[in-house]
Amino acid sequence: MAAAVAASLALALSGCGPAITTGAEGVDAGTCAPEDIFLVDSGRGLQNEYYVAVEAGAKAFAEEMGMLDQYQWISSDGDSSKQLSQIKAILAKHGHCTVLNIDANESSIVPALVHEVESYGAWLVTQWNKPDGSSPLTSSPHWVAHMSVNGVPQGYETAKALFEEMGGEGSVVVLQGILDNPPAKERFEGFQMALEEYPGIEMIENQTAGWDRTEAQNITETWITAHGDEIGGVWSAGDDMALGAREALLNAGIEAPVTGVDGLSQAQQLVAEGSGSLYVATTQSTGVLQGAYGLAIAYAAATGEVDPASLPPEQREFYLEDLPVVTRENVNTIRDAMDTTFLEFEDPWQYAGDPITD
């Protein structure tokens, strides 16, 4: 099966140029044999269901290639220094045939990650976070690609669903993600766009909870102390934070609607339960896609099946296709966040949408 997938991937990408070379001394870049490759996926931690979905996708790719014993998940636990140290150690051990799919904890560490990867001649795909103005296109061929999801429509549509549930008027509180993370910025931008369309809605609090459920619950409890049932709704940039906020509301006996982003199974289940659950909307999970195809793209570069320097811009820095938000009207038609049965690896860009331009 692995040989068949590798052959079909090579055929699908046969229009690409020859394997790249690197300045790293003694490294045969882009010519790694499958048995020499070590696959790595890294994100904040598997206590968050989104990352469980990411790993499910990554493992699906590794299993398809017959490489499960050459795969490792690494949790940064929200610690950027720890994540960078982990990647350095793995590169030192596995060298230029290391294939990495990394959700950097903060955008600010991406240049250091790229530097380390390039110094070993290894192969990197990043997810979600990178500094404004940085790009695989203007950096190193060893930073093969950057993949994300456009947060603006997500923030906009979930905010509109919340405001409609509130009857178009009332006070809303906002939980943001890590503020230097592009998805946090984009989702809040979408929220602000929707807010302009609803003059009866007032934002009375706005704070980052760092994508963390417990922190979001604590912040919401503080807001409840200050505002009580004046809180008419909670917009959150992520489901994990929204679930923490919901718990605080339930404990206080406040029936205010909540929305999130990320498509966690618990969030989708609550949406399906209806208004009594307080959960109005979320988005569809992209974790499986990011885990599977992030590794697949970096793998294709490591084996020489693609030359990153010859790829078109829309294959090196791109959003995944936009998906409809999850509401009570469509929740029963949405694929489960952990489902990997639909994955096919002949074309790792099959779910790519618009190019990222910043």
Side-chain angles (χ1 to χ4, degrees), residues 17-266:
I20 69 170
T21 58
T22 179
E25 185 176 354
V27 172
D28 295 321
T31 58
C32 294
E35 62 267 23
D36 296 327
I37 288 175
F38 192 72
L39 306 171
V40 178
D41 224 324
S42 176
R44 290 190 179 88
L46 298 178
Q47 71 277 11
N48 184 320
E49 186 193 298
Y50 163 75
Y51 290 107
V52 178
V54 171
E55 192 189 31
K59 279 188 168 181
F61 173 73
E63 183 174 18
E64 188 75 11
M65 304 306 292
M67 298 173 65
L68 270 176
D69 59 348
Q70 297 162 247
Y71 165 80
Q72 183 177 358
W73 166 269
I74 297 174
S75 292
S76 69
D77 299 318
D79 184 331
S80 298
S81 296
K82 176 180 178 180
Q83 187 175 39
L84 185 56
S85 295
Q86 290 169 328
I87 299 306
K88 286 181 177 180
I90 284 176
L91 287 167
K93 181 176 181 180
H94 295 285
H96 74 282
C97 288
T98 309
V99 165
L100 302 119
N101 183 37
I102 298 179
D103 175 6
N105 184 60
E106 295 174 290
S107 297
S108 58
I109 69 168
V110 170
L113 289 171
V114 172
H115 173 76
E116 292 297 327
V117 166
E118 185 175 35
S119 70
Y120 281 93
W123 308 95
L124 171 67
V125 169
T126 51
Q127 303 284 346
W128 296 115
N129 301 317
K130 65 179 184 63
D132 291 344
S134 67
S135 169
L137 293 165
T138 57
S139 181
S140 166
H142 291 270
W143 184 6
V144 182
H146 179 76
M147 181 188 305
S148 192
V149 178
N150 190 346
V152 176
Q154 293 181 318
Y156 176 77
E157 295 294 344
T158 55
K160 284 187 64 176
L162 177 65
F163 300 160
E164 288 295 321
E165 185 73 9
M166 294 169 63
E169 60 183 24
S171 299
V172 66
V173 294
V174 170
L175 291 162
Q176 293 205 56
I178 295 175
L179 297 181
D180 97 324
N181 289 180
K185 297 176 186 177
E186 291 172 353
R187 293 171 189 179
F188 185 60
E189 179 184 343
F191 167 84
Q192 291 174 303
M193 288 169 56
L195 188 62
E196 292 179 358
E197 298 177 9
Y198 287 79
I201 301 291
E202 179 187 8
M203 180 175 64
I204 59 172
E205 295 284 0
N206 170 25
Q207 188 172 332
T208 176
W211 306 118
D212 184 79
R213 184 180 303 204
T214 301
E215 181 68 12
Q217 182 172 344
N218 292 339
I219 290 170
T220 306
E221 288 170 351
T222 299
W223 290 341
I224 290 170
T225 299
H227 301 286
D229 58 10
E230 181 187 354
I231 298 173
V234 179
W235 179 89
S236 171
D239 279 331
D240 222 33
M241 298 184 295
L243 291 166
R246 175 181 177 272
E247 189 67 23
L249 293 170
L250 291 173
N251 291 341
I254 296 175
E255 296 186 358
V258 174
T259 61
V261 175
D262 287 332
L264 301 191
S265 293
Q266 184 181 357

